[in-house]
């Protein structure tokens, strides 16, 4: 029979799937925290080390299966479950707890460090255009504000879920002057922007940036306008499977996010598609800002090899 699964894992997985918990870095942290709770519970419930390991892997699979695109989630599982070791249940538990706390520390540090790198690209008086809501991108603005720079923002609302509202409110808390626009107004307002600043859910070995649907169109328009495109992404966004030729799966979400049932019925027999992410080709990206400094997208593969080697293990399987 299957080992019991922690309520914390169940509710975290449900919240990730329903986007109560969302954004690549936030998802990674929540998954790691849920695994810590699972480790504590599994330590009291497991009679043998094998049983403990089975419970942890099962929890990992439940979290892995929630949303497919943000690689920070499998990378969080990789980091924490990959460090699970010990001859007895207590040692195994302690190894997972230590790995989770190291992982969460690294997340915090990475975001602060990349924020300072990104802030160096922003000058006093600059305006950034944002898409969706990215904590990595906001860290750059926050650091720039801390450096005493006056920053303004044009915030795209980001249909269908309007994550731009979260960005707008958090930028306001930083004291940034915010103008909210509908997505289709982006090109018009690029004339007023000095940077496009977005986050990433995954970055592929060729430097392609997977982020919220609409990022690629924004980047193409920005290039045409001569506005530099900066992607703020800590290294847990690097997708190691792409080193071996795998592609990044783009999540398709429910049509109910796009259109209500009544309107759909009025229109008649149509297809509604709701992809959550798209890929911005590396040639439209000027800089990827990480905690290890900024990189042209073409160089990101070197960093990826350094951090992950040639292959990515999947400790939640097996
Ligand atoms: C969120 C999104 C964000 C990235 C980066 O999509 O595309 O830009 O996840 O965020 P969703 P962060 O709302 O569908 O999860 O920098 O916070 O990791």
């Amino acid at each position: 029979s299957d080992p019991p699964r922690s309520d914390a894992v169940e509710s975290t997985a449900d919240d990730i799937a329903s986007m109560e918990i969302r954004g690549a870095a936030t998802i990674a942290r929540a998954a790691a925290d849920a695994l810590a709770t699972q480790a504590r519970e599994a330590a009291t419930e497991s009679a043998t080390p094998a049983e403990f390991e089975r419970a942890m892997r099962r929890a990992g699979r439940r979290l892995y299966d929630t949303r497919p695109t943000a690689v920070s989630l499998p990378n969080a599982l990789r980091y924490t479950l990959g460090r699970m070791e010990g001859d007895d249940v207590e040692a195994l538990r302690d190894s997972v707890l230590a790995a989770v706390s190291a992982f969460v520390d690294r997340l915090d540090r990475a975001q602060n460090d990349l924020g300072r790198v990104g802030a160096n690209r922003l000058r006093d008086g600059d305006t950034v255009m944002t898409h969706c809501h990215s904590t990595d991108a906001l860290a750059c603005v926050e650091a720039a504000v801390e450096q005493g720079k006056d920053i303004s923002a044009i915030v795209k609302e980001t249909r269908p879920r309007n994550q731009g509202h979260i960005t707008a409110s958090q930028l306001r808390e930083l004291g940034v002057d915010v103008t909210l626009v509908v997505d289709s107004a982006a090109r018009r307002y690029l004339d007023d922007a000095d940077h496009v600043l977005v986050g990433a859910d995954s970055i592929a070995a060729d430097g392609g940036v997977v982020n919220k649907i609409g990022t690629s169109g924004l980047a193409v328009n920005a290039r045409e306008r001569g506005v530099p495109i900066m992607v703020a992404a800590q290294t847990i966004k690097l997708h190691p499977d792409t080193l071996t030729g795998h592609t990044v799966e783009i999540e398709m979400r429910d049509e109910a996010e796009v259109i209500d049932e009544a309107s759909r019925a009025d229109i008649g027999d149509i297809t509604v598609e709701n992809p959550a992410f798209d890929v911005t080709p590396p040639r439209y990206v000027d800089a990827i800002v990480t905690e290890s400094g900024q990189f042209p997208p073409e160089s990101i593969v070197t960093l990826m090899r350094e951090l992950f080697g040639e292959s990515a293990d999947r400790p939640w399987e097996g």
Side-chain angles (χ1 to χ4, degrees):
S1 74
D2 283 333
R5 197 154 49 207
S6 166
D7 288 345
V9 169
E10 282 303 328
S11 71
T12 301
D14 286 345
D15 287 351
I16 294 172
S18 69
M19 292 179 63
E20 203 72 45
I21 295 172
R22 50 146 297 282
T26 308
I27 288 170
R29 173 185 305 247
D33 284 341
L35 286 181
T37 307
Q38 177 69 79
R40 282 192 204 93
E41 291 177 19
T44 66
E45 287 155 0
S46 305
T48 64
E51 216 174 293
F52 178 92
E53 288 178 320
R54 224 154 44 87
M56 293 309 300
R57 282 196 300 267
R58 183 163 182 261
R61 285 195 296 276
R62 174 78 174 92
L63 293 161
Y64 178 78
D65 286 337
T66 51
R67 291 184 78 189
T69 304
V71 74
S72 51
L73 172 53
N75 281 346
L77 305 177
R78 224 165 243 138
Y79 189 96
T80 52
L81 296 181
R83 284 168 175 74
M84 177 165 70
E85 58 179 7
D87 298 332
D88 56 46
V89 166
E90 286 69 34
L92 283 165
R93 175 198 59 202
D94 292 346
S95 69
V96 173
L97 294 180
V100 167
S101 93
F103 180 77
V104 170
D105 283 352
R106 285 174 65 125
L107 271 182
D108 287 337
R109 223 170 328 120
Q111 199 160 71
N112 282 327
D113 290 351
L114 84 79
R116 280 196 301 273
V117 176
N120 292 336
R121 295 181 58 89
L122 306 178
R123 293 154 308 179
D124 188 26
D126 275 357
T127 298
V128 299
M129 181 177 285
T130 66
H131 185 59
C132 199
H133 167 258
S134 156
T135 57
D136 282 351
L138 284 173
C140 300
V141 178
E142 182 170 7
V145 169
E146 273 165 16
Q147 290 172 354
K149 293 171 183 164
D150 181 26
I151 305 292
S152 302
I154 299 163
V155 173
K156 295 179 74 232
E157 64 178 353
T158 316
R159 277 270 295 155
R161 294 186 69 113
N162 293 323
Q163 288 94 330
H165 295 182
I166 308 171
T167 301
S169 119
Q170 295 186 354
L171 285 171
R172 266 318 294 153
E173 278 166 32
L174 295 175
V176 169
D177 208 36
V178 171
T179 304
L180 182 72
V181 297
V182 298
D183 294 302
S184 26
R187 184 163 177 274
R188 176 189 165 111
Y189 283 92
L190 275 168
D191 288 340
D192 302 333
D194 302 293
H195 311 264
V196 163
L197 170 58
V198 294
D201 290 85
S202 284
I203 294 180
D206 69 349
V209 171
V210 184
N211 191 49
K212 180 54 56 191
I213 189 79
T215 303
S216 66
L218 174 61
V220 170
N221 280 331
R223 176 58 55 78
E224 189 249 352
R225 282 295 199 237
V227 180
I229 300 123
M230 156 177 172
V231 175
Q234 41 184 311
T235 54
I236 55 160
K237 313 291 180 64
L238 301 182
H239 203 307
D241 291 340
T242 60
L243 285 167
T244 49
H246 294 277
T247 52
V248 179
E249 184 182 340
I250 301 294
E251 176 183 14
M252 299 299 287
R253 294 193 62 86
D254 202 283
E255 61 180 46
E257 292 182 342
V258 177
I259 189 167
D260 62 65
E261 247 178 82
S263 314
R264 197 184 193 300
D266 277 349
I267 297 169
D269 183 22
I270 57 164
T271 303
V272 179
E273 298 244 323
N274 184 19
F277 303 100
D278 65 19
V279 185
T280 302
R283 67 180 175 280
Y284 293 109
V285 174
D286 290 281
I288 298 176
V289 169
T290 78
E291 72 273 23
S292 311
Q294 73 167 356
F295 293 81
E298 295 78 11
S299 308
I300 209 76
V301 64
T302 314
L303 185 61
M304 204 179 283
R305 283 222 178 81
E306 225 170 79
L307 295 172
F308 293 96
E310 278 302 323
S311 76
D313 39 345
R314 304 166 73 83
W316 55 91
E317 288 175 355

